[in-house]
């Protein structure tokens, strides 16, 4: 019994030593770029990393979001406007990150983009409804990752892609699940390719976050989609389907 206890203690000790060896040390001067910091998840992560001593560069979709984040963070935290659906906006953000890192390279890129997606049967949707989601939550994140890879390779940094687990369950039509599955595939491929350069690529599939769902907005959007349907599609579903 005593031998078993000692063996357990030894195993735990070895485990803690190995785990501690993977902790990032000397955080000062390490730059981390985070997208979608207008949202609760991105904002919370930016504030937490800022308190830990990282040099945080937070991308916000609105000036208001950036101002709110700066008001509750240290002076070392920087913000930049970013529209992931706009290549020019992405280029400006990359230039800002390049200037801020000042030749040191980028220690971390945290990609996060929730956005909104029309919730409706697939044949209620148009191709632009898919673009409105995929241009931000998939193609936009891929584009900014590609443009930041030189900085990540220089610092032998890491990419962390945050993916909402609910997007991995295709329970509704539209581009939301497509964007999440796409980011999974992109991350898996990038992880293999970047090993040679010492860049780590991780996926964090976070659980369902507590959120307030505005049923009025949901119903209004659903009604908008219903009203624009062709008579043939509307008749195939029937008024009863919409009411239920």
């Amino acid at each position: 019994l005593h031998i078993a206890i000692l063996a357990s203690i030894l195993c735990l000790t070895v485990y803690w030593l190995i785990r501690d060896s993977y902790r990032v040390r000397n955080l000062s001067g390490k730059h981390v770029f985070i997208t979608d910091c207008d949202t609760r998840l991105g904002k919370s992560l930016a504030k937490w990393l800022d308190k830990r001593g990282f040099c945080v560069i937070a991308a916000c979709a609105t000036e208001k979001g950036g101002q709110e984040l700066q008001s509750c963070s240290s002076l070392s935290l920087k913000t930049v406007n970013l529209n992931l659906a706009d290549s020019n906006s992405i280029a400006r953000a990359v230039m800002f990150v390049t200037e801020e890192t000042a030749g040191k390279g980028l220690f971390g890129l945290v990609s996060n983009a929730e956005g909104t997606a029309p919730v409706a049967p697939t044949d209620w949707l148009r191709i632009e409804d898919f673009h409105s989601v995929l241009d931000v939550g998939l193609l936009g994140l891929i584009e900014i990752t590609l443009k930041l890879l030189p900085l990540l390779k220089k610092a032998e940094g890491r990419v962390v892609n945050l993916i909402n687990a609910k997007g991995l369950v295709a329970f509704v039509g539209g581009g939301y699940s497509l964007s999440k599955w796409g980011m999974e595939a992109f991350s898996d491929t990038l992880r293999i390719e970047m090993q040679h350069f010492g860049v780590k690529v991780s996926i964090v599939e976070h659980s369902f976050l507590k959120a307030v769902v505005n049923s009025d907005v949901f119903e209004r959007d659903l009604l908008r989609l219903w009203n624009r349907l062709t008579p043939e599609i509307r008749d195939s579903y029937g008024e009863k389907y919409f009411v239920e």
Side-chain angles (χ1 to χ4, degrees):
L1 179 62
H2 292 294
I3 295 176
I5 293 173
L6 288 173
S8 298
I9 294 174
L10 179 61
C11 289
L12 285 172
T13 302
V14 172
Y15 167 77
W16 284 108
L17 288 173
I18 294 174
R19 198 189 78 160
D20 286 349
S21 68
Y22 283 97
R23 287 185 176 179
V24 178
R25 305 185 188 281
N26 301 320
L27 307 182
S28 179
K30 287 183 168 62
H31 289 82
V32 178
F33 179 69
I34 310 171
T35 68
D36 206 22
C37 288
D38 298 83
T39 62
R40 184 173 61 177
L41 178 59
K43 185 177 182 179
S44 298
L45 179 60
K47 291 194 295 184
W48 186 77
L49 290 177
D50 178 52
K51 290 179 180 178
R52 292 292 303 274
F54 284 100
C55 297
V56 176
I57 305 174
C60 298
T62 63
E63 291 187 9
K64 180 182 178 182
Q67 291 170 354
E68 290 178 352
L69 182 55
Q70 284 183 318
S71 67
C72 56
S73 305
S74 74
L75 295 177
S76 66
L77 183 143
K78 307 295 183 182
T79 61
V80 59
N81 289 344
L82 175 62
N83 177 4
L84 285 168
D86 182 357
S87 292
N88 291 327
S89 179
I90 290 174
R92 288 192 293 270
V94 170
M95 181 62 68
F96 183 84
V97 174
T98 302
E99 293 173 352
E100 286 294 320
T101 54
K104 298 178 181 178
L106 183 62
F107 178 77
L109 165 62
V110 182
S111 292
N112 171 49
E114 275 303 296
T116 58
V119 178
T122 299
D123 61 348
W124 289 27
L125 303 173
R126 298 173 180 172
I127 192 63
E128 54 263 31
D129 296 318
F130 287 86
H131 275 296
S132 67
V133 180
L134 297 176
D135 287 351
V136 173
L138 179 58
L139 298 178
L141 290 179
I142 289 175
E143 182 175 355
I144 198 162
T145 302
L146 295 177
K147 290 185 175 180
L148 288 173
L149 278 180
L151 294 179
L152 289 161
K153 289 161 70 175
K154 186 169 188 176
E156 294 190 354
R158 65 278 324 275
V159 178
V160 180
N161 290 324
L162 305 182
I163 298 175
N164 196 323
K166 69 182 181 182
L168 302 178
V169 181
F171 60 89
V172 67
Y176 188 78
S177 290
L178 292 176
S179 68
K180 302 310 174 187
W181 280 108
M183 282 304 296
E184 289 264 343
F186 175 71
S187 302
D188 288 341
T189 303
L190 191 66
R191 182 185 303 114
I192 297 170
E193 296 170 344
M194 287 296 109
Q195 285 180 348
H196 175 74
F197 302 99
V199 176
K200 299 178 177 64
V201 180
S202 304
I203 299 171
V204 176
E205 296 174 355
H206 58 83
S207 60
F208 294 81
L209 298 175
K210 184 178 180 181
V212 178
V213 179
N214 190 327
S215 59
D216 291 338
V217 173
F218 173 79
E219 291 179 5
R220 185 168 63 247
D221 195 44
L222 194 64
L223 181 61
R224 176 184 63 82
L225 295 173
W226 172 262
N227 287 334
R228 79 178 189 185
L229 293 177
T230 63
E232 290 78 14
I233 295 179
R234 198 179 304 162
D235 290 343
S236 70
Y237 282 90
E239 293 286 346
K240 185 179 180 180
Y241 181 93
F242 178 74
V243 173
E244 292 178 348

